[in-house]
Amino acid sequence: MEFNVRRLAADAGTFLSRAVQFTEEKFGQAEKTELDAHLETLLSRTESTKHWTEKIMKQTEVLLQPNPNVRMEEFLYEMLDKKVPMRANNHELLGECMIDSGHEFGPGTAYGSALIKCGETEKLLGSAEKEFIQSSAINFLTPFRNFIEGDFKTISKERKLLQNKRLDLDAAKNRLKKARVADARSALWAEEVQQAETELRIAQSEFDRQAEITRLLLEGISSTHAHHLRCLNDFVYAQATYYAQCYQYMVNLQKQLGSQIAIFPSTFSNNNQPAGSSSASIWVPTAQPAASLPAPPPSQASPALNELRSTSGTRKARVLYDYDAASSSELSLLSDEVGVHHVISDCHKMNYKS
């Protein structure tokens, strides 16, 4: 019990001495020992590393999960040390919606079939996105977070200890200075001077030792940068893989939809039709603009589509379903009938040639 009291009194005295020294430094009433330039440079570099590591982490988390509510939910699960429940991402939700609508319209129809194929591709995109997020979290975010929560905390602890040792050193210097001034006036202070000198040597030794420990830790920032560089390469590789997968999925989808896009109507209504005529558009141009999706390989194209493409210099279209003329100015057509049409830009009329 006596030892604990003495220890407590000693700690209280040290704390008070540091507080007095710190206050006097702030008011310019005491000298302050400056750290060497190399150590100051290392401290500044470490602070900069910590600052930008946190910013990169934050922006990467926003990139991987733009929804702030979901990020907060995942953070709470992490704090509670619970597994985050699996949820469908936006691509997967869109894919399910497209697949359901495709089955509703009928897989046998061109539109329904296209919706199902698009939905399946969207689900593949969603799966690729999940793999990218998981890879980035493990190989990029986790090492950065380990630095902030591990290495930097250790550095901060040793840096704070160095600051305390510096305050002890400067307080010992001030005590010795005051003791020498008093000793010059009276020889009774000789013992106090010797004690102050002893305390100064001890404080200087502890400060130098702590400065060396802190310096070694700070120099490890170079290794941290090298490790973060490898993590950055892993992140770039994960991004490249993700975007390459997405590109390949969409190219495959374009090839699957190429024939359907060529013969499927661009609209289901025509604002130029007379009021009494049908609103359905049955003529579908087969010519594609230069910027349209790439056509599928000849092996995948249907014979009917190859027939439509075989004639150059004209534009053909296939009738999708039967149509009965509503007036003498219209033509009655049968489904699957192929004909040539010319669009007259000034009046938007269509002439049918057999």
Side-chain angles (χ1 to χ4, degrees), residues 55-90:
K55 293 200 69 173
I56 292 173
M57 282 178 53
K58 181 178 179 181
Q59 292 303 318
T60 303
E61 290 171 351
V62 172
L63 171 68
L64 300 180
Q65 179 49 262
N67 191 329
N69 296 327
V70 176
R71 291 202 306 273
M72 178 59 66
E73 181 181 350
E74 293 177 350
F75 174 76
L76 293 177
Y77 274 104
E78 183 179 350
M79 292 294 294
L80 298 174
D81 197 20
K82 292 186 177 181
K83 185 177 180 181
V84 180
M86 296 296 295
R87 61 168 60 87
N89 56 30
N90 293 330

Side-chain angles (χ1 to χ4, degrees), residues 298-310 318:
S299 60
Q300 298 182 10
S302 63
L305 185 60
N306 291 330
E307 175 188 350
L308 295 181
R309 292 173 176 166
S310 61
R318 178 180 297 279

Side-chain angles (χ1 to χ4, degrees), residues 103-169:
H103 286 294
E104 177 72 20
F105 293 129
T109 64
Y111 185 42
S113 175
L115 281 172
I116 293 175
K117 291 177 180 178
C118 290
E120 292 173 347
T121 301
E122 289 294 335
K123 294 183 71 173
L124 290 175
L125 294 176
S127 178
E129 182 183 12
K130 285 184 174 180
E131 293 178 0
F132 166 61
I133 292 175
Q134 183 180 12
S135 175
S136 300
I138 295 175
N139 299 324
F140 188 65
L141 287 179
T142 299
F144 276 45
R145 187 175 292 110
N146 289 341
F147 166 74
I148 297 297
E149 298 178 356
D151 295 347
F152 186 78
K153 282 188 175 181
T154 301
I155 292 174
S156 299
K157 179 181 177 181
E158 297 299 330
R159 182 180 179 181
K160 183 178 180 181
L161 188 56
L162 176 64
Q163 174 70 4
N164 290 336
K165 295 301 181 183
R166 203 249 337 141
L167 290 173
D168 292 342
L169 175 61

Side-chain angles (χ1 to χ4, degrees), residues 18-250:
R18 291 170 180 172
V20 172
Q21 177 65 27
F22 181 80
T23 304
E24 290 179 350
E25 289 176 358
K26 288 298 182 180
F27 286 97
Q29 299 175 356
E31 296 181 358
K32 176 182 177 181
T33 300
E34 300 293 340
L35 302 177
D36 64 83
H38 177 60
L39 191 57
E40 288 286 1
T41 301
L42 291 176
L43 287 170
S44 176
R45 188 184 184 198
T46 301
E47 284 294 333
S48 179
T49 301
K50 182 252 186 182
H51 170 73
W52 288 110
T53 298
E54 287 181 331
K55 293 200 69 173
I56 292 173
M57 282 178 53
K58 181 178 179 181
Q59 292 303 318
T60 303
E61 290 171 351
V62 172
L63 171 68
L64 300 180
Q65 179 49 262
N67 191 329
N69 296 327
V70 176
R71 291 202 306 273
M72 178 59 66
E73 181 181 350
E74 293 177 350
F75 174 76
L76 293 177
Y77 274 104
E78 183 179 350
M79 292 294 294
L80 298 174
D81 197 20
K82 292 186 177 181
K83 185 177 180 181
V84 180
M86 296 296 295
R87 61 168 60 87
N89 56 30
N90 293 330
H91 284 292
E92 292 175 329
L93 292 175
L94 176 59
E96 290 290 346
C97 181
M98 285 183 169
I99 291 175
D100 292 342
S101 61
H103 286 294
E104 177 72 20
F105 293 129
T109 64
Y111 185 42
S113 175
L115 281 172
I116 293 175
K117 291 177 180 178
C118 290
E120 292 173 347
T121 301
E122 289 294 335
K123 294 183 71 173
L124 290 175
L125 294 176
S127 178
E129 182 183 12
K130 285 184 174 180
E131 293 178 0
F132 166 61
I133 292 175
Q134 183 180 12
S135 175
S136 300
I138 295 175
N139 299 324
F140 188 65
L141 287 179
T142 299
F144 276 45
R145 187 175 292 110
N146 289 341
F147 166 74
I148 297 297
E149 298 178 356
D151 295 347
F152 186 78
K153 282 188 175 181
T154 301
I155 292 174
S156 299
K157 179 181 177 181
E158 297 299 330
R159 182 180 179 181
K160 183 178 180 181
L161 188 56
L162 176 64
Q163 174 70 4
N164 290 336
K165 295 301 181 183
R166 203 249 337 141
L167 290 173
D168 292 342
L169 175 61
D170 289 336
K173 289 179 179 180
N174 288 334
R175 284 195 299 270
L176 177 59
K177 182 179 180 181
K178 293 177 181 179
R180 285 176 176 174
V181 172
D183 182 58
R185 298 176 181 176
S186 172
L188 297 177
W189 286 87
E191 185 178 349
E192 294 293 335
V193 171
Q194 292 179 357
Q195 183 179 354
E197 290 176 346
T198 301
E199 292 176 354
L200 177 59
R201 285 194 297 269
I202 295 174
Q204 184 69 55
S205 176
E206 291 180 351
F207 172 78
D208 293 340
R209 178 177 176 274
Q210 186 59 39
E212 182 65 17
I213 294 175
T214 305
R215 182 184 65 80
L216 292 175
L217 287 174
L218 294 175
E219 288 178 347
I221 289 296
S222 297
S223 299
T224 299
H225 285 186
H227 179 52
H228 286 182
L229 176 58
R230 291 192 295 270
C231 296
L232 183 61
N233 287 334
D234 292 339
F235 178 64
V236 171
Y237 176 79
Q239 276 189 310
T241 302
Y242 168 60
Y243 290 125
Q245 286 179 331
C246 294
Y247 173 77
Q248 189 59 50
Y249 291 150
M250 298 311 297

Side-chain angles (χ1 to χ4, degrees), residues 236-338:
V236 171
Y237 176 79
Q239 276 189 310
T241 302
Y242 168 60
Y243 290 125
Q245 286 179 331
C246 294
Y247 173 77
Q248 189 59 50
Y249 291 150
M250 298 311 297
V251 168
N252 293 339
L253 178 62
Q254 287 179 337
K255 292 179 180 179
Q256 294 177 28
L257 297 182
S259 59
Q260 292 176 321
I261 293 176
I263 65 174
F264 197 70
S266 58
T267 76
F268 283 96
S269 62
N270 189 346
N271 294 330
N272 294 326
Q273 287 184 339
S277 63
S278 171
S279 62
S281 175
I282 58 175
W283 284 95
V284 185
T286 61
Q288 298 185 33
S292 63
L293 299 176
S299 60
Q300 298 182 10
S302 63
L305 185 60
N306 291 330
E307 175 188 350
L308 295 181
R309 292 173 176 166
S310 61
T311 306
S312 60
T314 61
R315 301 177 66 188
K316 290 188 176 183
R318 178 180 297 279
V319 181
L320 297 179
Y321 43 83
D322 296 342
Y323 177 74
D324 294 328
S327 65
S328 59
S329 62
E330 297 180 351
L331 295 174
S332 296
L333 301 173
L334 300 177
S335 62
D336 292 331
E337 187 175 5
V338 178

